[in-house]
Structure formats: C-alpha cells, structure tokens
C-alpha cells in the first residue's frame, strides 16, 4: 500500500505540472487571442504551420502555470513525502510543463499537415500530446524522477478520460468552442 501511495505522489510530482500547463491557456485566455507562434505563416501545403490556437501567450502561460504547480504542490510532495530536494521538484515541473506545451505544438503541426483545421478533433492525439511531451522531456532531464512503464500506461488511460471530461466542462463554460 505504501508503494501505491508513493507511486501516486510521484505521478502527481511528474505530471501535475503538465496537466495544469495543458489546461491553463484556455482557462486564462478565455477566448482572448494571443500572438500565433507561426506568425500566421503557411507551410508548403498551403495550410497554416500551427494555426491560431498555438500562441506565445498560451505557451508561456502553460510553462508558468507548471512552475507554479511545482512550487505549490511539487515541492511539498517531494520534500515532505518522497524525500527529494525542492530543486528536483522545481526542475521536474519545468521540464514537465515545457514538454507538455511542446507536445501540444508538435501535435498541432501534424494535425495541420493532415489537413485538420484548428480546433478540429483528432482522437488520442488531442488528449495525449501533452502527456507524451512531458514524459519525453522529463526523461531528458537527468535529475527528474522518471515514471515506470506501468505508471505511464495507467496514467495515459487516466489522462485520456479526464481530458475528455474537463474539455466538455470548458465547452459548457464557453471557454472552448468545441468539446475537445
Ligand atoms: N492556446 C494558446 N497557445 C498554446 C496552446 C493553447 O493560445 N500554445 C489556447 C488557444 O486559445 C487554443 C486553446 O488554448 O484554442 C485550446 O488549446 P488546444 O485545444 O490545444 O488548441 P486548438 O484550438 O484545439 O488547436 P489545435 O487544433 O491546433 O489543437
Ligand atoms: Mg484542441
């Protein structure tokens, strides 16, 4: 049972910042427009490189929100329960948040190449882009705790379901035009 609690807290330490990063742009911006990361430019296929849904503001809000999550949740969990340094928690939240936002951008790039417009639905990719991105960057950070394969797989299922539920909520609140 103790191993289970430790696994859940490690999951929160690693992926809490990514989850908050992923949700915060739409929550903070609430329909306001930022400056597109692709500067409005199109790719050789004539479609937008990333689209208006990926902005500098959104990206920075995401990374900042991840760091804040690391300070508020990650540090107490790391120091109080897991026996890790505060700096480890901070770096983990940074890589987790940065990976989440990069994963989201990479997803949008391929979504546009598939000819799907901004805000269109792409099942699995829309739900797990940030999760995969966060996992990769946390792996690249050699002081960050890494998820085990069972943790990653269980987490993917959990994130998939949670993402669909929270996006339905965001749509209901009028923050998103579409429920995905
Ligand atoms: N957002 C942003 N900048 C980012 C990520 C998100 O401004 N780097 C904001 C945008 O307003 C975006 C909203 O958060 O519309 C929801 O994000 P997401 O679902 O990832 O974007 P979509 O609009 O669905 O675009 P895409 O089809 O490219 O995923
Ligand atoms: Mg989307």
């Amino acid at each position: 049972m103790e191993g289970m609690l430790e696994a859940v807290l490690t999951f929160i330490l690693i992926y809490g910042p990514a989850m908050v990063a992923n949700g915060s742009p739409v929550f903070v911006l609430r329909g306001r427009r930022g400056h597109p990361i692709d500067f409005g430019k199109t790719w050789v296929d004539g479609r937008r490189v990333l689209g208006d849904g990926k902005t500098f503001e959104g990206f920075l809000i995401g990374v900042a929100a991840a760091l804040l999550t690391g300070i508020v949740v990650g540090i107490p969990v790391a120091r109080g329960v897991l026996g890790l340094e505060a700096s480890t928690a901070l770096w983990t939240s940074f890589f987790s948040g940065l990976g989440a936002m990069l994963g989201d951008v990479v997803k949008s790039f391929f979504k546009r190449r598939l000819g799907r417009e901004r805000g269109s639905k792409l099942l699995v990719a829309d739900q797990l882009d940030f999760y995969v991105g966060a996992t990769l960057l946390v792996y690249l950070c050699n002081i960050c705790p890494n998820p085990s394969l069972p943790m990653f797989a269980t987490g993917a299922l959990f994130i998939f379901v949670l993402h669909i539920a929270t996006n339905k909520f965001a749509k209901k609140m009028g923050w998103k035009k579409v429920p995905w």
Side-chain angles (χ1 to χ4, degrees):
M1 229 26 229
E2 234 174 76
M4 182 73 191
L5 179 67
E6 202 179 307
V8 169
L9 290 173
T10 305
F11 184 84
I12 290 169
L13 176 69
I14 297 172
Y15 292 112
M19 289 164 71
V20 173
N22 188 249
S24 58
V26 71
F27 179 76
V28 175
L29 293 169
R30 297 195 195 187
R32 275 179 298 224
R33 298 182 45 138
H35 298 77
I37 296 173
D38 68 5
F39 295 101
K41 295 213 168 9
T42 51
W43 190 249
V44 288
D45 55 11
R47 298 180 184 278
R48 285 287 295 277
V49 179
L50 300 172
D52 284 332
K54 303 297 113 134
T55 67
F56 287 107
E57 287 85 346
F59 196 98
L60 292 177
I61 288 166
V63 177
L67 276 171
L68 201 65
T69 309
I71 292 167
V72 176
V73 182
I75 292 179
V77 164
R79 295 193 51 190
V81 198
L82 298 173
L84 298 168
E85 305 273 341
S87 60
T88 306
L90 268 189
W91 280 115
T92 304
S93 65
F94 175 72
F95 280 92
S96 171
L98 185 66
M101 299 318 290
L102 285 175
D104 181 49
V105 163
V106 169
K107 184 275 313 269
S108 290
F109 176 79
F110 287 108
K111 215 169 150 181
R112 299 297 92 81
R113 305 290 73 74
L114 288 172
R116 312 266 183 139
E117 297 303 327
R118 174 230 174 144
S120 66
K121 193 172 174 174
L122 189 60
L123 210 66
V124 182
D126 278 332
Q127 288 78 29
L128 296 181
D129 52 1
F130 81 94
Y131 186 70
V132 172
T135 305
L136 286 176
L137 278 227
V138 166
Y139 259 105
L140 288 180
C141 152
N142 43 32
I143 65 157
C144 300
N146 288 168
S148 63
L149 192 59
M151 185 191 286
F152 174 78
T154 313
L157 207 65
F158 167 74
I159 297 280
F160 184 76
V161 174
L162 185 73
H163 191 278
I164 289 173
T166 52
N167 279 38
K168 282 204 168 121
F169 178 73
K171 154 84 174 148
K172 238 191 174 123
M173 299 302 286
W175 301 337
K176 284 195 87 148
K177 290 195 182 74
V178 288
W180 48 77

